[in-house]
Amino acid sequence: METNEVFEKVKGLFVEDLGIDESKVTMEAKLEEDLEIDSLGIVEVVMAFEDEFEIEIDDEELSDVSTVGQAVSLLHSKI
Amino acid sequence: MSKRRVVVTGLGTINPLGNNVFDTWNNLINGISGIDYISSFETDELPVTFAGEVKNFDANDYMGKQHARKLDRSGHLSIYATEEALKDAGFNTEERLGADVGIVFGTGIGGIGATEEAVRTYDKRGPSRINPLAITQLMPNSSTGQVAIKFGIEGPSLTITTACAASANALGEAKNMIQNGIVDTVIAGGTESGTTAMTIGAFAQIKALSTNNENPKKACKPFDKDRDGFVMGEGSTVLVMESEESAINRGADIYGYVSGYGASTDAHHITAPAEGGRGAVDAMKKALLDAELTPSDIDYINAHGTSTPANDKNETAAIKTVFGEKAYDINISSTKSMTGHLLGGGGAFESLVSLLSLKNNIIPPTINLNNPDEECDLNYTPNAAIEKELYAAMSNSFGFGGHNGVLVFKKS
């Protein structure tokens, strides 16, 4: 799967499942500051990613993820 | 030192009769029922298919999907009713209310819907797929916390879970907080949104619910000989309570005074009232004493009046014990005949009704009361509202567990 395909899927999850405004979801957007995803929200996001891409994500893998782009890279590397 | 007087300066409500105070009051005084067939889930397998549901409310439209999906429906309704009440009281809801404002909310079963959903997920998909928001949605203090966050309420907070007396106790404890000078203002109220297939099934198991599936709007008939149980209802009602001097200093309009509060416990049976309403008698007497009133001062009683055989009989007996011969002169009504039983939100809603009755000099009726019961022989204001000059009203709330909360309101 190409990076831009992963991004489109991630964007779809954020918009459809989490109710985030579509225009805010860019590769540069910060999850916490820009998308208002708090610590509880991150757990939901990870669950959604795991279901959508049929992968498992460990907590340690998330330590370097603070933007949409970083999340897309992580997912891309695991698919 | 005389006690600080406590007033109500703002009302907000969302309930089966309306999504604002105006519509609610109009429907109440016109004897309109808010009860209907359940629309939010399938009822095919249930022995009861109707309830008092909130209608025409979409939480996503109201607060945006990103915020709405984090809360249980109880939280949505609580924030909505609080915003209405704060605006009504003249507060700017864009500013944090700060540390001089407290919050006391009542609920019976909190986010029971979220509990059920989480259990279903656990059974189907295991622990790793449980909604991470489940705990924050299901805990009974969820609404209290979410409302505090939304409006920046930094004073003391309490959540009271005394079943169907919860929000009466909430208003009473709020009154004490203000009277004791702990804070000047308390956002007080109650919410219940616990109408689920499981709760309907469970209440039906103990024969607490009316099973009049043929005619939902006529199912709740408090004090009628043919009454056969209560009707589940949902809603949130919030009152802005403050010290009289605070209201005067703000130039706020005053609906009325929360003058008396009495609480007691039956310590008898987990669901059945004590014979003769012993605990209810005690709470009513305490509320009158606290209000510095005598039985002859009360013009209206908004009864607990659930439409169960046991409650209505024992509440009637209790009123007679407290009021003596005067009991026959007082207008009593059960507005649950129109809303259904708002459970933990009932006390706050019925306090709102009592205050509006005093302000407008109108007593809303008990609808569906057509066949008198010899054990319920007081004036329950059957089927049509009446106009009457009113000065003081009492609101009764009694809950499973044997909890009793009674409030007395004065016009001035």
Side-chain angles (χ1 to χ4, degrees):
Chain A
M1 197 180 290
E2 297 297 321
T3 306
N4 63 335
E5 282 180 72
V6 177
F7 171 71
E8 287 303 324
K9 287 202 174 214
V10 167
K11 186 170 167 178
L13 289 175
F14 282 1
V15 174
E16 296 302 321
D17 293 3
L18 303 183
I20 295 169
D21 185 353
E22 188 173 356
S23 65
K24 289 184 183 170
V25 187
T26 62
M27 286 289 270
E28 296 73 35
K30 293 195 171 83
L31 299 175
E32 197 171 336
E33 290 91 334
D34 299 327
L35 305 187
E36 297 176 55
I37 299 171
D38 62 12
S39 58
L40 299 174
I42 289 292
V43 182
E44 287 192 282
V45 167
V46 168
M47 279 171 53
F49 286 166
E50 289 179 335
D51 285 348
E52 176 71 25
F53 298 105
E54 295 177 339
I55 54 172
E56 279 190 34
I57 300 171
D58 295 330
D59 287 352
E60 305 84 73
E61 295 177 290
L62 293 170
S63 54
D64 294 329
V65 175
S66 63
T67 66
V68 173
Q70 287 161 348
V72 168
S73 297
L74 172 66
L75 293 168
H76 188 249
S77 72
K78 291 179 71 82
I79 298 166
Chain B
M1 198 179 96
S2 66
K3 291 191 284 191
R4 297 216 300 179
R5 300 190 76 199
V6 178
V7 301
V8 174
T9 55
L11 300 176
T13 187
I14 179 163
N15 66 79
L17 291 176
N19 296 356
N20 58 62
V21 171
F22 184 83
D23 290 347
T24 300
W25 180 244
N26 268 336
N27 284 329
L28 279 168
I29 61 177
N30 287 301
I32 310 273
S33 172
I35 295 162
D36 212 334
Y37 290 108
I38 291 167
S39 63
S40 56
F41 55 88
E42 291 298 324
T43 58
D44 298 351
E45 294 183 23
L46 294 172
V48 175
T49 59
F50 56 95
E53 293 182 300
V54 166
K55 299 160 198 77
N56 306 317
F57 175 74
D58 183 332
N60 290 341
D61 289 347
Y62 170 58
M63 58 174 65
K65 185 176 174 183
Q66 193 176 1
H67 188 197
R69 60 184 301 285
K70 293 178 181 170
L71 278 61
D72 177 76
R73 185 165 163 91
S74 309
H76 302 149
L77 302 180
S78 297
I79 287 178
Y80 179 92
T82 305
E83 184 170 13
E84 293 270 307
L86 288 170
K87 285 180 175 165
D88 189 37
F91 283 98
N92 179 353
T93 55
E94 301 299 313
E95 288 175 8
R96 290 178 72 81
L97 290 167
D100 289 331
V101 180
I103 176 167
V104 187
F105 262 40
T107 185
I109 47 183
I112 190 82
T115 309
E116 293 178 33
E117 191 61 40
V119 172
R120 274 194 285 270
T121 304
Y122 174 83
D123 286 346
K124 262 190 259 170
R125 304 190 63 199
S128 71
R129 285 297 171 269
I130 294 173
N131 180 357
L133 302 173
I135 296 294
T136 60
Q137 292 178 345
L138 68 83
M139 57 192 194
N141 59 312
S142 182
S143 287
T144 317
Q146 295 289 7
V147 168
I149 291 164
K150 172 74 181 170
F151 301 106
I153 298 166
E154 298 169 358
S157 53
L158 286 174
T159 304
I160 295 183
T161 55
T162 44
C164 304
S167 55
N169 289 142
L171 267 59
E173 297 306 321
K175 169 182 176 283
N176 287 344
M177 258 186 204
I178 296 166
Q179 231 163 30
N180 293 333
I182 294 168
V183 279
D184 282 332
T185 305
V186 178
I187 309 308
T191 305
E192 205 74 76
S193 183
T195 311
T196 69
M198 186 281 285
T199 59
I200 292 265
F203 275 120
Q205 283 292 82
I206 55 171
K207 312 291 180 206
L209 298 181
S210 168
T211 55
N212 188 354
N213 292 311
E214 295 72 38
N215 204 339
K217 290 190 186 301
K218 297 205 182 300
C220 192
K221 42 182 70 179
F223 305 106
D224 189 283
K225 198 175 181 61
D226 297 335
R227 66 187 184 277
D228 72 333
F230 77 82
V231 177
M232 293 277 284
E234 72 167 348
S236 179
T237 301
V238 175
L239 289 77
V240 176
M241 293 170 57
E242 56 188 310
S243 67
E244 184 180 34
E245 56 268 39
S246 162
I248 290 168
N249 289 341
R250 292 198 308 116
D253 290 334
I254 292 172
Y255 280 99
Y257 289 73
V258 186
S259 303
Y261 170 49
S264 70
T265 310
D266 283 7
H268 164 70
H269 185 276
I270 200 71
T271 59
E275 195 57 35
R278 173 173 43 77
V281 167
D282 192 28
M284 283 191 264
K285 283 184 173 171
K286 283 178 179 166
L288 283 170
L289 195 66
D290 187 36
E292 298 174 354
L293 293 179
T294 62
S296 61
D297 294 318
I298 298 293
D299 307 299
Y300 169 50
I301 300 174
N302 186 297
H304 189 53
T306 57
S307 182
T308 63
N311 176 82
D312 297 0
K313 180 182 82 170
N314 284 291
E315 185 173 12
T316 297
I319 291 170
K320 287 181 191 174
T321 302
V322 174
F323 290 88
E325 277 302 305
K326 161 80 180 172
Y328 292 88
D329 298 334
I330 301 172
N331 275 94
I332 300 165
S333 71
S334 169
T335 43
K336 287 188 180 74
S337 57
M338 294 173 270
T339 59
H341 197 340
L342 301 171
L343 306 172
F349 179 80
E350 289 155 21
S351 294
L352 172 147
V353 175
S354 302
L355 285 158
L356 291 174
S357 294
L358 292 177
K359 189 177 164 67
N360 296 304
N361 295 306
I362 300 177
I363 294 173
T366 304
I367 68 166
N368 303 321
L369 177 41
N370 300 309
N371 304 300
D373 176 347
E374 56 274 15
E375 288 185 299
C376 301
D377 60 347
L378 298 174
N379 178 4
Y380 306 104
T381 322
N383 303 318
I386 62 154
E387 290 188 39
K388 185 176 175 179
E389 187 65 33
L390 302 173
Y391 171 67
M394 174 181 275
S395 175
N396 286 344
S397 298
F398 314 129
F400 279 5
H403 314 292
N404 307 298
V406 175
L407 294 155
V408 170
F409 303 93
K410 286 201 267 191
K411 186 180 277 177
S412 58

